[in-house]
Amino acid sequence: MVSGNQSLLQRSHASVWHPCTQMKQHEALPLVPVRRGDGVWLEDFDGKRYLDGVSSWWVNLFGHNHPHIKAAIVAQLDQLEHVILAGFTHEPVVRLSEQLSALTGLGHSFYASDGASATEIALKMSFHYWRNGGQHGKTRFISLKNGYHGETLGSLSVTDVDLFKDTYAPLLRESVQLPSPDWRLAEPGESAEQYALRCADRAEEYIAAHHAVIAALILEPLVQCATGMAMHHPVYLRRLRALCDQYHVHLIADEIAVGFGRTGTMFASEQAGIRPDFLCLSKGITGGYLPLSVVQTTDEVYRAFYDDSVARGFLHSHSYTGNALACSAALATLEIFAQQDVLASNRSKAAYLNRQLVDWADLPIVHLRNTGMIWAFDVTSGQAGFQQRFYQAVLQRGLLLRPVGNTVYFMPPYVISESEIDWMLEQTLGALKECI
Ligand SMILES: *Cc1c(COP(=O)(O)O)cnc(C)c1O
């Protein structure tokens, strides 16, 4: 008899095309069929449990099966599941927009369902803002080396990941990437701050020369997540904010991964004391329950579209824009932040985890780094296939981690306990010893 796992795997292979995957690799590496989730744990059909060390691709904040978020969605289901947001409005979307504005100081919120759509929206809005102001020449975007902003054609144009981009290069708009302030790239003896300032000087040279044709600069504040949790000093963001002001270039903060407490503050930009012109949010916004993204912008940008002319408006839409169920999950997520001191509790969890890492200095790893609830290190052994072998080795042990090349990272749900942290580190150590 085939187990519950086996039959689902066969059906999945026959019908589902999985994301970010060469499907043929699954001939050797079985998919993991998940039946249920609870807290930091996922469970398969045979009862084997996996600690979700990547928060299900960085979306989950307070664990799976969270009673408060679940109850909020169920309550919303009794009222209204969804309604067209063109010409109509509803309470969850209004309350969410008000609460996000109170948190970020950005007065208006435009909704979509995933992160890539949010970055597309921000790029289009920025271009259209300048156009409405008679500046038709501002048609280009700049981003950072090793930045990631999603994989639809527009967002992929500002993403800098060769593996995702090279195949589609003929379809993409040209965009320029400025040096990444990733502190691992500092010269020996150069501090993270000095290196960030040096990168800001390079950015200034470029922006000073080309600002007339640049609509916006898009970046991931504090941590460039998708390319291996590259971290930088907040002074970079302060300098770039000042440059964007000076040269009339919009600053788009893509906080899709780093927003909602991930870096230790509610939003990463806060650590630099800056406010972007556009803020892209998604992933953790619903606690990991439902797809929702938002672009927040200033009332000044909003007013530049407000006109008797229809064409000066922002004529962009997605069918599920402002979905009421997703907004109710987001409101429940914000309630958890308001009712519990999540950031303080995360600080003590992070301090605990960092204390447990002190002994790791002897391992063949470098650049052990932490920002908020994100940890990463780079394995120095150049052995081929580390990424796959390590992924499988931790999975065997019941731990879900997805290394990026030779970078291993932890991005656990905030509800992880100290004993679960110990267990996660123990399994990681065991797997490392097997793989390096
Ligand atoms: C995940 C991510 C995106 C894309 O979001 P999707 O919902 O996967 O389209 C964009 N920017 C950053 C920084 C991300 O981490």
Side-chain angles (χ1 to χ4, degrees), residues 52-124:
D52 187 355
V54 299
S55 295
S56 284
W57 249 349
W58 323 340
V59 300
N60 192 290
L61 299 188
F62 300 113
H64 299 276
N65 196 21
H66 192 282
H68 186 63
I69 303 176
K70 193 163 68 174
I73 297 170
V74 170
Q76 184 59 40
L77 267 173
D78 284 335
Q79 291 296 317
L80 172 71
E81 76 297 333
H82 180 73
V83 64
I84 178 174
L85 201 67
F88 286 73
T89 195
H90 56 81
E91 194 175 345
V93 78
V94 173
R95 283 179 54 212
L96 181 59
S97 306
E98 289 170 351
Q99 291 186 22
L100 289 174
S101 291
L103 286 168
T104 64
L106 294 165
H108 277 82
S109 295
F110 192 99
Y111 292 88
S113 307
D114 55 55
S117 301
T119 56
E120 298 263 352
I121 288 165
L123 298 172
K124 282 178 71 179

Side-chain angles (χ1 to χ4, degrees), residues 58 114-117 119 148-150 220 225 254 256-257 282-283:
W58 323 340
D114 55 55
S117 301
T119 56
Y148 179 90
H149 303 290
E220 297 159 87
C225 295
D254 176 351
I256 288 166
S282 185
K283 292 203 165 110

Side-chain angles (χ1 to χ4, degrees), residues 86-376:
F88 286 73
T89 195
H90 56 81
E91 194 175 345
V93 78
V94 173
R95 283 179 54 212
L96 181 59
S97 306
E98 289 170 351
Q99 291 186 22
L100 289 174
S101 291
L103 286 168
T104 64
L106 294 165
H108 277 82
S109 295
F110 192 99
Y111 292 88
S113 307
D114 55 55
S117 301
T119 56
E120 298 263 352
I121 288 165
L123 298 172
K124 282 178 71 179
M125 263 186 190
S126 169
F127 161 79
H128 197 166
Y129 169 91
W130 298 116
R131 186 184 164 87
N132 278 350
Q135 301 204 52
H136 294 251
K138 280 171 143 344
T139 59
R140 296 198 203 161
F141 303 110
I142 50 178
S143 56
L144 303 188
K145 285 299 274 181
N146 298 323
Y148 179 90
H149 303 290
E151 293 167 61
T152 56
L153 293 177
S155 61
L156 193 57
S157 294
V158 289
T159 285
D160 183 43
V161 183
D162 292 344
L163 184 62
F164 300 158
K165 197 168 176 172
D166 282 355
T167 307
Y168 307 103
L171 307 181
L172 304 179
R173 279 178 57 81
E174 262 182 61
S175 73
V176 163
Q177 275 76 50
L178 303 172
S180 167
D182 172 2
W183 61 249
R184 291 174 299 174
L185 303 173
E187 297 290 339
E190 189 179 37
S191 71
E193 181 171 11
Q194 286 164 337
Y195 178 63
L197 288 168
R198 189 150 65 85
C199 289
D201 289 343
R202 294 291 88 74
E204 173 156 26
E205 284 162 20
Y206 189 85
I207 295 170
H210 300 283
H211 62 89
V213 295
I214 302 172
L217 165 76
I218 183 166
L219 51 70
E220 297 159 87
L222 295 189
V223 188
Q224 294 182 295
C225 295
T227 50
M229 306 298 158
M231 301 180 183
H232 59 255
H233 194 283
V235 73
Y236 183 78
L237 304 172
R238 272 198 294 282
R239 278 286 308 278
L240 270 282
R241 173 70 277 182
L243 287 173
C244 286
D245 285 340
Q246 181 183 352
Y247 290 104
H248 300 279
V249 168
H250 285 141
L251 179 63
I252 303 173
D254 176 351
E255 296 219 17
I256 288 166
V258 296
F260 299 100
R262 202 41 93 170
T263 65
T265 43
M266 192 62 169
F267 299 105
S269 310
E270 292 169 28
Q271 293 183 45
I274 62 152
R275 194 167 69 197
D277 301 296
F278 298 91
L279 175 63
C280 300
L281 301 171
S282 185
K283 292 203 165 110
I285 191 170
T286 61
Y289 269 69
L290 288 164
L292 181 71
S293 65
V294 56
V295 178
Q296 286 203 286
T297 190
T298 60
D299 290 332
E300 191 227 326
V301 167
Y302 174 78
R303 276 194 300 272
F305 290 76
Y306 200 86
D307 198 85
D308 291 327
S309 153
V310 172
R312 286 174 64 94
F314 191 58
L315 306 185
H316 180 107
S317 60
H318 296 282
S319 309
Y320 281 95
T321 290
N323 176 261
L325 294 174
C327 289
S328 72
L331 286 165
T333 300
L334 290 180
E335 261 162 37
I336 297 171
F337 276 103
Q339 285 163 9
Q340 303 166 15
D341 199 346
V342 173
L343 299 178
S345 142
N346 283 356
R347 268 195 298 280
S348 67
K349 280 178 193 186
Y352 178 81
L353 201 156
N354 284 330
R355 282 197 299 278
Q356 309 310 306
L357 290 176
V358 169
D359 303 338
W360 288 33
D362 299 336
L363 295 172
I365 61 173
V366 290
H367 298 135
L368 185 58
R369 52 196 182 276
N370 163 236
T371 300
M373 290 295 281
I374 307 172
W375 289 262

